[in-house]
Amino acid sequence: MKRVLLTCALLAIPALAAAQQATPPGFKAFDDSAPRETLPAAPLVFIAYSVAWVALAFYAFTMWRKLGKVEQDLAELRRGAKR
Amino acid sequence: MKRAVPVLLLVAAAMLAASPFLIDAAPPEATMGLVQKIFYVHLPSAMIFMVSSIICGVASAIYLMGGRSPKADRVSVAAAELAIVFGLIMLVTGPLWGRKAWGVWWVWDARLTSSLVMWLLYWSFTLLRRFGGPGSETLSAGVGLFGMALVPFVYWSVNVWRTLHPMTSVVPRLPASMGIPLWWDVVAFMCLFAALFALRTRVEKLRTDLDAALADADV
């Protein structure tokens, strides 16, 4: 009986060593009380709406300016043609 | 149409000024929380992106099959440019939402990839018109037709392929508390789109007139 127990214990040593090696040093098991990584939503929502309003306002502004410039050029050309 | 632009801009501005109050009053989604509020700007911009693509495609088809109409050409140019603007908003707001909801900024799935390809197609349309030289009108009209052909593919991609993106069935099933701010923003974006579209078409018309006048002056 002693021999059997000794054999089992000897066989178990490499298995235990392998199990210990399987967990790399520095990693810890999941703990419910540990703080979790959370990404705040508010900055993402703020950036999304800011990008939308800035893009639309910028496009409307550039269109308005382009329209004014082309109208001015056309009016100048027509005035020149009348002379 | 010239008088309609300021009216449309005013209506859009008034609606968009009221929109934050409606969005704030809407309940946060059960699993995503606050970040789901990006939906109220993401979906309207995606809808306008598709509307612009259809307008550009129809105008391109009319241009190609209807005797090279300059009016159809102007409409396709304006719609392509607006598809870039609203597509940009869609492509920026989507990853901001996805980062929190999915844990990643971007996935190369059918919906996101096809939307990006479609958006790049309108860049190619616009760049072709800017640097393509004589004859680029016909080539860009061909690109506009391909862009419109992508619309059903992009729309149904979420229902056909497995993707992280929500399916199209989400919108009809929205509770009223989320549906009202959404459709409010859709109407506001539509008014803004109509105003910008009219403005862009007018710029293109005047630019053509200016080119013709300059050509006459040279002769």
Side-chain angles (χ1 to χ4, degrees), chain B residues 28-182:
Chain B
E29 202 272 332
T31 51
M32 288 182 274
L34 180 69
V35 81
Q36 183 266 345
K37 305 243 177 189
I38 293 178
F39 172 65
Y40 304 107
V41 69
H42 178 74
L43 186 81
S45 53
M47 283 172 98
I48 304 287
F49 175 55
M50 292 202 178
V51 167
S52 303
S53 307
I54 293 167
I55 293 173
C56 181
V58 170
S60 298
I62 292 170
Y63 180 80
L64 289 173
M65 293 160 205
R68 309 289 190 261
S69 150
K71 197 175 179 182
D73 183 52
R74 286 197 294 272
V75 167
S76 71
V77 168
E81 206 170 284
L82 283 161
I84 292 175
V85 175
F86 284 94
L88 174 77
I89 296 169
M90 175 194 74
L91 287 169
V92 170
T93 55
L96 287 165
W97 183 5
R99 178 65 185 88
K100 175 77 178 168
W102 305 336
V104 285
W105 294 104
W106 186 267
V107 280
W108 292 100
D109 72 0
R111 168 55 77 88
L112 276 72
T113 310
S114 58
S115 300
L116 179 67
V117 168
M118 196 167 132
W119 185 67
L120 290 173
L121 208 78
Y122 290 104
W123 268 110
S124 67
F125 182 107
T126 307
L127 291 173
L128 197 61
R129 289 307 297 266
R130 202 177 172 93
F131 304 110
S136 60
E137 297 89 345
T138 313
L139 289 172
S140 61
V143 175
L145 268 179
F146 273 109
M148 186 173 66
L150 273 178
V151 171
F153 177 81
V154 173
Y155 182 77
W156 275 295
S157 59
V158 279
N159 302 333
V160 177
W161 289 280
R162 276 187 70 179
T163 164
L164 284 171
H165 197 281
M167 291 171 84
T168 53
S169 56
V170 168
V171 175
R173 289 184 199 159
L174 276 178
S177 53
M178 289 179 179
I180 290 167
L182 172 71

Side-chain angles (χ1 to χ4, degrees), chain B residues 168-199:
Chain B
T168 53
S169 56
V170 168
V171 175
R173 289 184 199 159
L174 276 178
S177 53
M178 289 179 179
I180 290 167
L182 172 71
W183 292 109
W184 178 273
D185 274 5
V186 168
V187 173
F189 268 60
M190 284 285 181
C191 290
L192 190 60
F193 167 74
L196 292 174
F197 180 73
L199 210 59

Side-chain angles (χ1 to χ4, degrees), chain A residues 24-42:
Chain A
F27 282 79
K28 286 179 183 172
F30 183 76
D31 178 8
D32 265 333
S33 63
R36 295 186 195 181
E37 185 191 12
T38 49
L39 187 70

Side-chain angles (χ1 to χ4, degrees), chain A residues 23-67:
Chain A
T23 314
F27 282 79
K28 286 179 183 172
F30 183 76
D31 178 8
D32 265 333
S33 63
R36 295 186 195 181
E37 185 191 12
T38 49
L39 187 70
L44 296 170
V45 176
F46 179 77
I47 294 167
Y49 280 87
S50 302
V51 166
W53 303 148
V54 167
L56 290 170
F58 179 75
Y59 185 76
F61 176 71
T62 50
M63 260 323 102
W64 209 265
R65 265 187 62 182
K66 266 185 196 174
L67 185 67

